Amino acid sequence: MDSPSTTTVNILNKEYLVSCPKQEEANLHQAAQHLNEQMKQIRAGGVIGTERIAVMAALNISYELLQSKQQSLTDNSDAQEQIKQMLGKLDQALMAIES
């Protein structure tokens, strides 16, 4: 298990030192870049104040995450239904063979 290292991310032209495991640095930088883009878009829309911009970005990203989770659950439910249907067909085929 790697010990955490410190890396720098840039969000709205400010640098932040963040501690994270070395193997997660690329993911951290990708997340920081996504957050930075969200915050820039919100600021360009006329929202003033870093705290407000950050809260709006957090809400947007949380919404995206929830939508993604709901889609994943729907996809999983569809896959489970297809599996049930296939198992039913297999049962019918096996019963026909046994008869």
Side-chain angles (χ1 to χ4, degrees):
M1 188 172 181
D2 285 341
S3 61
S5 64
T6 302
T7 189
T8 302
V9 296
N10 193 307
I11 300 171
L12 287 184
N13 301 319
K14 289 187 180 181
E15 289 188 348
Y16 296 90
L17 288 176
V18 181
S19 177
C20 76
K22 191 74 172 164
Q23 71 271 14
E24 291 297 323
E25 271 189 42
N27 291 333
L28 173 65
H29 284 280
Q30 188 176 3
Q33 183 178 358
H34 181 68
L35 175 60
N36 188 47
E37 290 302 316
Q38 288 278 328
M39 291 178 73
K40 281 182 178 180
Q41 288 176 3
I42 292 166
R43 183 175 61 187
V47 177
I48 299 172
T50 305
E51 185 175 321
R52 283 185 170 203
I53 292 170
V55 169
M56 294 300 296
L59 285 171
N60 288 342
I61 293 169
S62 295
Y63 177 77
E64 290 172 359
L65 177 62
L66 289 174
Q67 291 297 99
S68 178
K69 282 183 177 182
Q70 288 174 351
Q71 183 62 44
S72 179
L73 289 174
T74 299
D75 291 347
N76 190 27
S77 179
D78 290 345
Q80 287 179 346
E81 184 58 35
Q82 289 176 343
I83 290 170
K84 284 181 186 177
Q85 289 175 1
M86 288 189 302
L87 287 173
K89 289 178 182 178
L90 283 171
D91 285 342
Q92 289 174 354
L94 287 172
M95 290 174 77
I97 292 171
E98 290 175 358
S99 298

